[in-house]
Amino acid sequence: DSGVTQTPKHLITATGQRVTLRCSPRSGDLSVYWYQQSLDQGLQFLIQYYNGEERAKGNILERFSAQQFPDLHSELNLSSLELGDSALYFCASSVRDRGFEQYFGPGTRLTVT
Amino acid sequence: GEDVEQSLFLSVREGDSSVINCTYTDSSSTYLYWYKQEPGAGLQLLTYIFSNMDMKQDQRLTVLLNKKDKHLSLRIADTQTGDSAIYFCAEIGFSGGYNKLIFGAGTRLAVHP
């Protein structure tokens, strides 16, 4: 158990819908990272927040957004969902913003039908 | 460019040693990582090595780094059925002023009796 929690574990929704994925980092970690794991793209970095502020953006679509709250939990919002958005979404956390040791949550499996 | 390559599949007999190989392209990578993903689970940070080291040993795990050839390997001694999983090699890439983890496609390790 890494100490990073994610909810929900599974999510099934229809195309065009919007969903919110939630992540709680390890106690004491200030950085949260979001990754997408799909069969065709592999593991891809989406976005990083550090102590409430966006720090870095990776291959994140404009339809996706995230935020980190004062209690350091983070939410990833996915809107106008398409079939190709079906994937495992992982959250990771680290103590500092450099991300040298990232600990991953169990992931949320999103299925878009 | 940033790229991490791994062979996709490895099959070993229980009790033998497993060696999983990885090549990376970013010569400025400061840390290189091995993550393990069991079915239906998140990524578990197994070990990592700093780029100025050649070798790191942690119980049954040995990481070898050949910086000249940009080659990283993970050796698992006395491989057990519980080691069956997908193993991801990752490097820290520095791009746009921030560090991000760049993952390989993963090597599926199958351990048979």
Side-chain angles (χ1 to χ4, degrees):
Chain A
D1 185 356
S2 67
V4 178
T5 60
Q6 289 186 249
T7 56
K9 195 168 183 179
H10 300 278
L11 199 48
I12 302 174
T13 189
T15 54
Q17 295 298 305
R18 173 190 168 96
V19 297
T20 298
L21 313 184
R22 183 189 167 104
C23 166
S24 292
R26 293 186 319 161
S27 177
D29 284 0
L30 300 178
S31 260
V32 169
Y33 309 78
W34 287 97
Y35 291 85
Q36 181 195 59
Q37 185 180 34
S38 61
L39 281 174
D40 54 345
Q41 298 285 333
L43 262 163
Q44 298 233 334
F45 166 72
L46 295 178
I47 197 164
Q48 177 200 359
Y49 276 80
Y50 175 75
N51 205 19
E53 293 186 1
E54 182 183 303
R55 182 55 62 102
K57 260 186 176 178
N59 301 324
I60 188 166
L61 300 171
E62 283 191 15
R63 300 183 284 110
F64 296 0
S65 65
Q67 53 185 327
Q68 186 179 27
F69 294 87
D71 67 352
L72 301 176
H73 91 271
S74 177
E75 292 181 356
L76 178 68
N77 301 298
L78 315 176
S79 61
S80 302
L81 285 167
E82 301 174 1
L83 294 178
D85 297 327
S86 296
L88 260 171
Y89 291 85
F90 288 108
C91 164
S93 73
S94 69
V95 172
R96 294 179 292 182
D97 64 339
R98 288 292 186 164
F100 290 126
E101 282 188 42
Q102 294 184 26
Y103 293 88
F104 281 72
T108 293
R109 181 172 292 280
L110 174 66
T111 303
V112 182
T113 61
Chain B
E2 304 162 338
D3 200 12
V4 177
E5 293 190 356
Q6 307 177 234
S7 53
L8 294 182
F9 189 74
L10 177 66
S11 178
V12 299
R13 186 171 298 166
E14 193 173 10
D16 287 352
S17 291
S18 309
V19 179
I20 303 171
N21 295 301
C22 166
T23 56
Y24 61 97
T25 55
D26 189 347
S27 57
S28 66
S29 290
T30 49
Y31 287 90
L32 295 133
Y33 301 82
W34 285 103
Y35 280 86
K36 175 183 179 183
Q37 185 177 30
E38 295 182 71
L43 281 82
Q44 175 193 354
L45 177 60
L46 277 181
T47 186
Y48 61 92
I49 188 167
F50 189 51
S51 59
N52 68 352
M53 298 169 65
D54 297 324
M55 185 182 87
K56 180 178 180 182
Q57 188 153 1
D58 185 359
Q59 300 182 335
R60 292 190 297 123
L61 305 179
T62 304
V63 179
L64 294 177
L65 175 60
N66 181 329
K67 203 173 175 187
K68 175 175 166 287
D69 295 337
K70 296 178 192 164
H71 182 266
L72 184 73
S73 69
L74 174 69
R75 179 176 178 269
I76 306 173
D78 187 25
T79 313
Q80 302 297 308
T81 54
D83 295 323
S84 295
I86 301 176
Y87 290 81
F88 291 91
C89 169
E91 62 171 343
I92 280 278
F94 186 75
S95 171
Y98 67 93
N99 293 330
K100 65 174 181 177
L101 276 176
I102 300 159
F103 287 89
T107 300
R108 184 178 294 275
L109 174 65
V111 182
H112 56 88

